[in-house]
Amino acid sequence: PPRPSQYHWTNRTTPDGAPDPYTSFADFEASLKQSKRKLIRQERKKVASYGLDIAVETGPSLTPALADAVHGFYVDTATRRWGTDYLTRDFFRSLFAGPAASDVALVVAYDAGRPIAAALNLVGSHALFGRHWGAARGVAESLPGLHFELSYYRAIEYAIAHKLARVEAG
């Protein structure tokens, strides 16, 4: 059977492999072919037109209410796609409140202050690891491009800002 694939983004290095990280998302975009730059800009413009607030929540901003929302997104995704939702509400609450909270980068889309979608990432010493994407029922279908914005483009922005070598989007 075919093996599942993951999207990995790698920060820039010099020809001899030394780090030469991008300074911004625009710097990264400039390294792409014009057609790819245009596509990314169109996708991001479309998502911006939805009027959502998008934020990366870490450490103390990871509230029990966010844990509950992410758990709800997870349960919806798991039951529709895999049939088993083995991570509990307490798991997410513990993750967000425990010592590992500083290693969580949760990219959240808010509509009128209410979380409607999120991408859960764990921050390693050299990489950002995407672990879960989820949304309120119907959001992903009604807001095309939101998944890519939260799971990929914002993850790349985070990695660039924090000088991480790669994003393993999951």
Side-chain angles (χ1 to χ4, degrees), residues 42-139:
Q42 287 173 339
E43 289 173 342
R44 297 193 89 189
K45 185 177 179 179
K46 182 176 197 167
V47 172
S49 75
Y50 301 149
L52 303 172
D53 293 315
I54 299 175
V56 178
E57 308 289 4
T58 61
S61 65
L62 296 168
T63 64
L66 273 176
D68 292 349
V70 171
H71 177 257
F73 303 156
Y74 163 76
V75 167
D76 181 64
T77 302
T79 55
R80 282 189 297 119
R81 300 205 181 198
W82 310 303
T84 305
D85 58 327
Y86 55 88
L87 299 176
T88 65
R89 181 180 312 276
D90 286 342
F91 166 80
F92 289 102
R93 283 187 170 202
S94 295
L95 177 64
F96 288 10
S102 62
D103 296 327
V104 172
L106 183 70
V107 184
V108 184
Y110 294 95
D111 185 16
R114 181 178 62 91
I116 62 165
L120 175 63
N121 301 282
L122 300 177
V123 183
S125 60
H126 294 88
L128 185 69
F129 301 95
R131 295 300 98 189
H132 178 70
W133 144 264
R137 187 169 294 271
V139 166

Side-chain angles (χ1 to χ4, degrees), residues 8 55 120 158:
H8 288 195
L120 175 63
Y158 184 93

Side-chain angles (χ1 to χ4, degrees), residues 6-23:
Q6 283 190 348
Y7 174 79
H8 288 195
W9 171 86
T10 304
N11 211 334
R12 183 171 54 199
T13 57
T14 62
D16 65 354
D20 182 24
Y22 296 107
T23 57

